Amino acid sequence: MDDLKIYGSGTVTSGKYKKISIMGDGTVNGDVECVALNVNGQCDVSGNLKSETVKINGSGSVNGPLETKKIRVNGEIGVSGDLSAEEIRVNGDMDVEGDCDAETCTLRGEFRVSGLLNAGKLKIDLYGPCEVKEIGGEKITVKKEMGFHFLIKNIFASGISGSKLTTDVIEGDEIRLEHTEANVVRGNDVIIGEGCEIGLVEYRNSFKRN
């Protein structure tokens, strides 16, 4: 397998590569498999993506499922299929049209997941409106952040009240929520904080409402 580098703008054909580095604007036609994908700028994959590591500083889109061990995004990521990883870390915006599955998942910003968001350890820092069909995990933490950059964005966009997580069901072992709207929350130990609208809470060990 060969390394592939794009500086400026260029197109990559489908296939297997060792390392793909994009500095600028890159397009991948078809399915691609690689050891590492590093993007500083923009990358659009028209098929499936399988890579041991994915690093995006800018924006990326995958028109199919994305499978990786570790993905880190500073900017935007869009996936038309399922996103599967051992570790997910996103600072910015994430849009997954399928399910999202990880051992550890840290999301800071805004996101949308059309299916199930499942992680052993899930941490969500709300900087805008977030939507997901269902959430499952062992330790789930949702809190609202008020960093200056996102504070200004929310004031002039959707308003401060727009920083909220909306979902049908949240199920886990340890659950701690802020500014969350859910029909059902089910867990062993549950803490419901400020700004929450929960239809039904089911707990096994403990429940606290702050």
Side-chain angles (χ1 to χ4, degrees):
M1 293 186 294
D2 297 327
D3 290 342
L4 184 63
K5 297 181 180 180
I6 294 178
Y7 296 99
S9 63
T11 301
V12 179
T13 58
S14 61
K16 295 183 178 181
Y17 300 91
K18 186 176 180 182
K19 182 178 181 180
I20 300 176
S21 299
I22 298 174
M23 298 282 292
D25 189 347
T27 300
V28 180
N29 287 327
D31 301 338
V32 66
E33 183 176 341
C34 58
V35 176
L37 173 64
N38 295 331
V39 178
N40 287 283
Q42 180 174 331
C43 177
D44 297 314
V45 180
S46 65
N48 306 337
L49 173 61
K50 184 176 182 179
S51 178
E52 290 187 14
T53 62
V54 176
K55 294 181 181 179
I56 298 175
N57 292 303
S59 65
S61 66
V62 180
N63 189 26
L66 193 166
E67 182 180 347
T68 183
K69 289 183 178 179
K70 180 184 294 185
I71 178 170
R72 294 191 176 185
V73 177
N74 291 297
E76 300 178 351
I77 179 68
V79 181
S80 295
D82 296 336
L83 171 57
S84 177
E86 293 180 7
E87 179 183 341
I88 298 173
R89 184 178 294 271
V90 176
N91 294 298
D93 189 289
M94 183 182 78
D95 193 342
V96 178
E97 294 186 13
D99 295 333
C100 184
D101 185 79
E103 292 182 8
T104 61
C105 182
T106 302
L107 304 176
R108 303 181 75 245
E110 302 178 12
F111 70 90
R112 290 155 300 283
V113 178
S114 298
L116 170 67
L117 172 58
N118 182 67
K121 184 177 181 181
L122 175 62
K123 182 180 180 182
I124 297 173
D125 293 339
L126 300 170
Y127 286 95
C130 300
E131 298 180 8
V132 59
K133 178 64 176 177
E134 296 182 4
I135 295 176
E138 296 175 6
K139 186 175 182 179
I140 300 169
T141 304
V142 180
K143 64 179 182 178
K144 183 176 179 179
E145 295 291 350
M146 297 296 290
F148 179 76
H149 170 73
F150 289 96
L151 175 62
I152 297 300
K153 177 181 177 182
N154 285 336
I155 287 176
F156 291 100
S158 57
I160 298 302
S161 61
S163 294
K164 180 178 68 174
L165 170 65
T166 303
T167 184
D168 287 340
V169 179
I170 299 176
E171 186 168 354
D173 295 332
E174 299 178 28
I175 302 174
R176 188 184 186 100
L177 305 176
E178 293 180 3
H179 297 274
T180 298
E181 181 179 331
N183 293 325
V184 178
V185 173
R186 184 181 297 115
N188 292 335
D189 300 286
V190 179
I191 298 177
I192 305 297
E194 63 178 353
C196 289
E197 297 178 28
I198 311 298
L200 174 66
V201 175
E202 299 178 358
Y203 66 94
R204 183 185 299 269
N205 297 327
S206 66
F207 170 72
K208 182 178 180 181
R209 180 98 193 208
N210 291 335

